[in-house]
Amino acid sequence: MHSASAANAAWRPLCARQDLVANSGVVALLDDAQVALFHLPQTSEGEQVFAIENRDPKSGANVIGRGIVGHLKGDLVIASPLYKQHFRLADGSCVEYPEQRLRVWPVRLNGDLVEVGLQAD
């Protein structure tokens, strides 16, 4: 399971495991943020889930959840459907444009729930 800086996270259920689509994205609302969830059941590291911001920084459109998952330069990436730039699922950084970045959340499967980590106060 992928968990970016999950050590001090407070976990919140976001959706059900059955809402995920293998090797594709689905979008859920977390407070005021749209979160694109990517479920990769068969990676070299086993089953992984990633939670990344749905808003494309170049266009401003909420489309990242419709992007194509792939590998680029050794990293798991999502290709933005509009301008085709690639964002690393692990940390949200852009391969082609270092100034572009998407927010990422720690995420885990907990039984039948998909939970995201929020910063503990």
Side-chain angles (χ1 to χ4, degrees), residues 7 36 44 47-48 58 75 80 82 89 99 102 105 109 111 119:
S44 59
E47 182 178 35
Q48 294 188 75
K58 187 168 184 174
D75 294 314
S80 174
L82 296 178
L89 288 171
E99 69 279 5
L102 298 176
W105 289 263
L109 294 173
Q119 282 295 82

Side-chain angles (χ1 to χ4, degrees), residues 97-120:
Y97 306 102
E99 69 279 5
Q100 292 183 22
R101 179 173 291 275
L102 298 176
R103 181 176 175 193
V104 295
W105 289 263
V107 62
R108 69 182 183 187
L109 294 173
N110 186 6
D112 291 332
L113 294 175
V114 178
E115 297 178 334
V116 293
L118 306 176
Q119 282 295 82

Side-chain angles (χ1 to χ4, degrees), residues 51-85:
I52 192 164
E53 183 177 4
N54 192 42
R55 186 176 179 276
D56 180 318
K58 187 168 184 174
S59 69
N62 290 309
V63 295
I64 297 299
R66 294 178 179 246
I68 297 173
V69 176
H71 289 86
L72 188 62
K73 299 180 181 180
D75 294 314
L76 283 170
V77 297
I78 182 70
S80 174
L82 296 178
Y83 292 102
K84 313 301 186 227
Q85 74 272 41

